[in-house]
Amino acid sequence: MIFVMLLRLLKKGAEADIYLTIWNDRKSILKIRKRKEYRNEILDNRIRTLRTVREAKMMSEVKTFGVSTPIVFFVDQNKFKIYLQFIPGMLVRDLPNKLIINTCEKIGKIVGTLHKNGIMHGDLTTSNFILGSDELIILDFGLAQRTEKIEDHAIDLRLFKEVLNSAHVEIVNQAWLSFLRGYGKIVGASRKEKIISQVLVIEKRGRYANVV
Ligand SMILES: Nc1ncnc2c1ncn2[C@@H]1O[C@H](COP(=O)(O)OP(=O)(O)O)[C@@H](O)[C@H]1O
Ligand SMILES: [Mg+2]
């Protein structure tokens, strides 16, 4: 019998390594959370287990309210591994500018739906969305949290705005407005305004912290 182990490293991240592999005849992504040498080993194991389990749980849970995420094939929490359905497509980060602007409205709708259902993503970047053949898929739920608080939801928006500002500076304004349009369609105008005010509060605080 010939046994071929298919494993191709796609990305070495700060927190996890990402491999392309096969799971039960299906193309799969294997995400392994790595040891951080500077962290105490027991604490480090606890953090990696928590994030692995949280990611798998959240990815499955958000499907129940209509947010598209990869199917979780298998979780090995003792080895900090998750096998996910491989999603073909392009990262939103790598799309042409015009398409990024359009897609930001869809991102806004997805984020609005998460927030409306009491979930904060915790790491909203344009590398955590894949534009597939007919839908937009959101990834990377290791830092997601259950919270209804305006302050927490505003942290999600603030991070996404920062990402647009640094990775997509030529289109930041249009992309941000597009995002807010989508977000508002889901959470409603009044909630949207409250969150935006909170984002401004966080930004002011940030600037003040830079001065002193
Ligand atoms: N299910 C998937 N299908 C296709 N590509 C994926 C999938 N999961 C992750 N990736 C790719 O790997 C990258 C990193 O994965 P991610 O879960 O965001 O981990 P990290 O914590 O390193 O950001 C993504 O930006 C994407 O390019
Ligand atoms: Mg990511």
Side-chain angles (χ1 to χ4, degrees):
M1 191 177 96
I2 307 171
F3 181 76
V4 183
M5 174 96 158
L6 258 173
L7 205 63
R8 196 172 93 213
L9 182 65
L10 287 189
K11 188 194 159 206
K12 264 184 122 43
E15 208 207 331
D17 289 339
I18 305 284
Y19 296 89
L20 185 61
T21 186
I22 301 285
W23 177 260
N24 282 338
D25 294 335
R26 295 185 68 175
K27 214 170 166 182
S28 169
I29 289 285
L30 168 60
K31 181 166 179 176
I32 308 180
R33 288 195 154 73
K34 292 188 289 192
R35 164 106 225 261
K36 297 231 162 129
E37 295 298 333
Y38 61 79
R39 253 183 339 224
N40 164 284
E41 192 173 342
I42 296 169
L43 178 65
D44 185 69
N45 285 349
R46 222 179 277 157
I47 291 174
R48 287 190 292 159
T49 305
L50 177 81
R51 291 189 181 163
T52 302
V53 171
R54 179 186 291 168
E55 173 148 49
K57 264 195 186 162
M58 289 286 187
M59 272 194 173
S60 304
E61 185 180 330
V62 303
K63 283 182 190 300
T64 62
F65 42 82
V67 169
S68 295
T69 53
I71 297 169
V72 179
F73 290 150
F74 184 71
V75 184
D76 185 344
Q77 67 179 74
N78 297 319
K79 295 196 175 125
F80 323 107
K81 287 180 177 177
I82 304 184
Y83 288 83
L84 298 168
Q85 170 193 20
F86 173 80
I87 307 290
M90 264 176 88
L91 291 181
V92 169
R93 189 197 58 198
D94 302 327
L95 296 172
N97 280 345
K98 224 176 147 197
L99 196 49
I100 295 182
I101 295 168
N102 285 335
T103 307
C104 276
E105 178 163 354
K106 293 189 187 139
I107 292 180
K109 282 185 176 169
I110 290 176
V111 176
T113 307
L114 290 176
H115 288 180
K116 206 171 171 175
N117 288 279
I119 288 176
M120 157 190 192
H121 181 273
D123 194 14
L124 286 181
T125 70
T126 47
S127 305
N128 285 336
F129 290 86
I130 296 179
L131 188 59
S133 50
D134 48 19
E135 56 178 354
L136 185 64
I137 282 115
I138 178 169
L139 309 170
D140 211 353
F141 279 79
L143 297 175
Q145 288 200 41
R146 233 172 279 284
T147 167
E148 309 267 354
K149 284 200 261 172
I150 285 185
E151 288 80 0
D152 291 333
H153 295 182
I155 290 171
D156 258 355
L157 267 68
R158 158 76 177 148
L159 176 66
F160 189 68
K161 196 177 171 190
E162 273 287 295
V163 168
L164 293 177
N165 209 7
S166 54
H168 308 282
V169 68
E170 329 78 77
I171 53 161
V172 52
N173 290 331
Q174 285 161 286
W176 178 240
L177 287 177
S178 166
F179 172 91
L180 289 178
R181 198 176 319 118
Y183 188 77
K185 279 184 184 164
I186 303 296
V187 303
S190 122
R191 177 85 185 179
K192 179 177 105 174
E193 291 310 321
K194 280 189 194 135
I195 306 266
I196 292 175
S197 313
Q198 186 61 33
V199 170
L200 295 177
V201 169
I202 300 172
E203 285 176 344
K204 270 197 199 125
R205 207 185 288 151
R207 270 198 289 280
Y208 184 67
N210 286 339
V211 174
V212 289

